[in-house]
Amino acid sequence: MLSLFHYEYFRDLVINYVPRDAQSKGHQIDLFMNELRRLFALMLASDRKYLNPSAVIDMLNYSSDSSTGLSQNISNNQQDVSEFQHKLLDWLEEAFKPGSGGEESPPQRSGEGDGSEPMEVDSESPDHKDNSNPMVKLFFGKVKATGSNAGVAFTTHTHFGQWPLYIAGYTDIHESLEKGLAQGDIETNSAEHTSNQEQWFTHMPPLLTFELSRVSYNTQHSQAEKLHNKFTFPQTIYLDRYLEVNKEEVRQKRTDVALLKSRLSKLQASLHRYTHYGSSSEDSGNVYPLSDILDCALKFTSRGDCSASSDKSGNGHTSSSDTTEDLDEPRPANVTAEELSTVRACLSRWKEDVDLIIRQHTQSIDVVKQSISNAYDKEHLKQYKYGLHAVLVHEGQALSGHYWSYVYNVQNRLWVKFNDIRVTESSWEEVVRESEGGLGTASAYCLIYLQFSQSNSKHRDNSDTTTIARPTGEDFPNKRDALESLPADLQIYVAEDNQKFKDEIQKWDLSKNEVNATAEPQFSSIGGKTSTVDIYSNSDFDYGGYSKGIKSSTEEEAYAHAQSVLALVKKRYTDIDQQMGTTVSWNYKFELLVKACFDTYYDMSMDPNKAIRPESRTHMALYLLLVYKSVDHSDVKAIIADHIAKLDNMNDAPGWASVRQEAVLMTSKFWDRSYDFQCNYIKWHQEYHQFRVVFTLFVEGLTLFNQECYESALPYLHDACVRNQELILDAQSEDDDTVKELKSLDQNLISQARNNCLQRFNELAFAQFENEDDYTTPLKVMLARVLPILDSLQAEGADTESMNFAGSIKDRWVNLLADEENIEENRMKLLKEFIGQLFEPATNPVPTIENVTAFIDLKAKYTSAINQYNSLS
């Protein structure tokens, strides 16, 4: 609905909708339209930063389907989103039927709304859709199907509101449209006759919605799966090639294109035999370009000098005893000068022939590709032009995930991203990256195209501007003008909501000021110094400059993980450089470096004494070898290579820029040819990042505890407990108990440290209350910082040990009541009030640490902190 709101003509239809007489189904739809009108009015003129559309969505989600009697409970998966869109179109069509409130629709505006009249390709009205209905005009097209079913010819005419695009097996929107519309066999129950059909659009709507079918059913695993393959789509698309009026010409072009594609396939197969010499379906070993092989052979023959190395008898053969220099350099042996000359001549001629064939094939392939690309590039086939208006994106799997959308802002000529309550400027490059698929789990599931018109086509180009005055467009100079443009009832509704929002802000500010004035504890007076709640990041590294290596949605985490191997890489590279000097290529040094690092981690993973230590998992490659025991070693080496590519803080090492360049080339090739690695790369970095965050929280909390900063340590240690428990739960699906343990830290160790911190802090607060003049602060701090943690330890489902421990902390204060005669009256009065609140639910949330940046030198910090902690214990 957000994308439709940004289509001005549709928005005007909704806002100016006039309710009809209350009837059974009509009344329900009127209620829905009224909520939609209010939502659109608020989106235009509300003072709120963001709005809650639940009232509108819930009416569609839980509506009763009159045709099936089933309750449509829409859940968060792609098929249900599709059902949601179909239900929306059905209700909009019903609302604007003649005789309903929708018949008094507003006059058409100029600008983008000029595309409101559908493109009439034929005048047939084949089914029950009323072409005078503005919603039918806006959303619905017509398609004509002809063919034969069990030997009987048929012709059908059908309206469509959304056109499905099948993803499996196709790379772009035109491939999918061709397959769905062109002549093809259809499944029937008849075994005697072949059944087929061909489809052509006969009527195109001004607003065209493509529904991408990215969900398939895996019969082997009996579950729905999302298809993540790459599927491209353009900003501008011409649909003339799918219209019935052009079918004779298009049929011939399809035949011509099929012949061209066949020719292209043969050329590519022939070229592949030269560029991947030695490859076959049975042989998956290393293959090389034939030209390179001949070139290497030619260089090999050039290293021999038979005339200088022949024996004294003149027999023309080299003597191995006479050749003492450069024994490691391969060179021809046992060959005469005449033979060597003949071989050189043949190799040179063969290489020239091969290079010529490769050039000819490459040129022919380019020509054929261009012919295919230009097959429909004719002016008379560019009359039905559409521009991309919105892209709806889903990230996740088939049955769960997150949604956001991109909408093209015509006035400012840029893309705008709507992600929950965040509205940000975007670019076509970002839309492509997050919508085409093929990388990670994010991809488009719906595309909305708008018909071009004379008045808006000048705005549709690829240029972006740097600012945007208003994400919803520049329909009105300001919110006041937008408010005044609304019908009277909506003006009143928006004005009342704006006043309500103003009252809410004033109430919030007042309550916040009261809390700050009366209940804000002075946290610095208990347990020594305090620290900020954000874990610091290591400022030695430039996080803005990581342009090398693999780039993905986990780029920041990947860069941080690379820094953890700095010490090992530096040591291994120094050893290699000192040993090899300038006698070997940078490529070879890079290969040796990757192997040396991998061997180090592999040896550690095989040592049971080292593997079980937490500090062993402060390196990502070792973590993968330990946790994913069957991980492909080439994947781990690619991760190490990516780490090397991102180490831009070793540039003082000789030749490091060349080594990094080799790393970039290697990881880029590996990334491009392995889709599984692309998915694993993102998953591994995200998973390992969460592990390092927990580790960092624990280490920082432990460090503060060792410094007797108990109040500051508590949020870190408790948040580490909570997050580590989440890692443990996520690992429950693992079959191997050892793997479960390795995916998290020792929960008993973290819980014990947290409880020790609670105990120490409680004793300090207790002593201050009893003995110092400032006895109010410790009670405020206990209620603000400690009580939320105690409540979480006594929450439903907590283990008995945690509940008993939290109870003992509270009992320590209750027991103080028995000493009433020795405590002054005001202190005792405050104590009784405090104990009453101690057994009520906490008003403050459980403390958490935001914006955690994992330590780079995590191993060293952990070793230091745990050793000191053990010595204090």
Side-chain angles (χ1 to χ4, degrees), residues 446-518:
C446 184
L447 308 173
I448 298 178
Y449 282 87
L450 286 180
Q451 172 196 353
F452 268 82
S453 67
Q454 294 274 334
S455 58
N456 68 17
S457 60
K458 63 179 179 291
H459 298 298
R460 305 294 305 211
D461 58 31
N462 297 328
S463 62
D464 287 334
T465 57
T466 56
T467 61
I468 178 170
R470 185 169 162 80
T472 55
E474 296 179 344
D475 304 323
F476 304 99
N478 52 56
K479 291 183 180 181
R480 173 175 294 182
D481 290 339
L483 181 62
E484 292 176 355
S485 74
L486 298 173
D489 64 317
L490 291 181
Q491 288 189 36
I492 295 172
Y493 176 77
V494 173
E496 290 177 347
D497 187 77
N498 284 339
Q499 183 60 47
K500 181 180 177 182
F501 178 56
K502 183 177 179 180
D503 294 341
E504 290 173 359
I505 293 177
Q506 292 176 345
K507 184 178 180 181
W508 167 256
D509 289 341
L510 179 62
S511 63
K512 187 176 181 181
N513 290 335
E514 289 175 351
V515 170
N516 291 336
T518 61

Side-chain angles (χ1 to χ4, degrees), residues 188-205:
T188 65
N189 296 326
S190 173
E192 298 180 1
H193 301 278
T194 300
S195 298
N196 57 73
Q197 76 170 9
E198 180 182 47
Q199 298 185 91
W200 297 94
F201 293 134
T202 61
H203 175 134
M204 300 304 294

Side-chain angles (χ1 to χ4, degrees), residues 481-651:
D481 290 339
L483 181 62
E484 292 176 355
S485 74
L486 298 173
D489 64 317
L490 291 181
Q491 288 189 36
I492 295 172
Y493 176 77
V494 173
E496 290 177 347
D497 187 77
N498 284 339
Q499 183 60 47
K500 181 180 177 182
F501 178 56
K502 183 177 179 180
D503 294 341
E504 290 173 359
I505 293 177
Q506 292 176 345
K507 184 178 180 181
W508 167 256
D509 289 341
L510 179 62
S511 63
K512 187 176 181 181
N513 290 335
E514 289 175 351
V515 170
N516 291 336
T518 61
E520 189 68 26
Q522 301 299 316
F523 293 148
S524 60
S525 62
I526 299 179
K529 67 181 181 180
T530 61
S531 67
T532 60
V533 295
D534 291 344
I535 294 180
Y536 62 85
S537 62
N538 193 313
S539 59
D540 293 337
F541 303 110
D542 178 16
Y543 283 86
Y546 47 93
S547 59
K548 300 295 185 182
I550 295 171
K551 302 188 75 174
S552 73
S553 58
T554 60
E555 191 169 351
E556 186 171 349
E557 291 88 347
Y559 182 82
H561 298 162
Q563 308 310 313
S564 66
V565 304
L566 177 62
L568 176 66
V569 170
K570 186 175 291 187
K571 185 177 186 306
R572 294 290 179 264
Y573 182 69
T574 300
D575 294 342
I576 292 170
D577 189 56
Q578 289 176 351
Q579 180 181 357
M580 299 295 178
T582 58
T583 60
V584 298
S585 66
W586 298 118
N587 177 270
Y588 187 52
K589 284 186 179 181
F590 162 70
E591 292 177 357
L592 290 176
L593 179 58
V594 172
K595 184 179 185 302
C597 293
F598 174 82
D599 290 345
T600 300
Y601 291 135
Y602 182 77
D603 291 342
M604 291 178 67
S605 72
M606 300 304 291
D607 185 341
N609 294 324
K610 293 182 179 179
I612 61 175
R613 298 176 186 170
E615 60 266 33
S616 296
R617 284 165 279 163
T618 55
H619 301 297
M620 183 177 179
L622 182 53
Y623 174 88
L624 295 178
L625 289 168
L626 290 170
V627 172
Y628 296 95
K629 295 182 178 180
S630 61
V631 65
D632 193 320
H633 289 180
S634 63
D635 286 356
V636 179
K637 291 177 181 178
I639 291 290
I640 294 173
D642 184 51
H643 287 344
I644 293 171
K646 288 179 168 62
L647 289 178
D648 52 5
N649 43 347
M650 268 185 62
N651 290 330

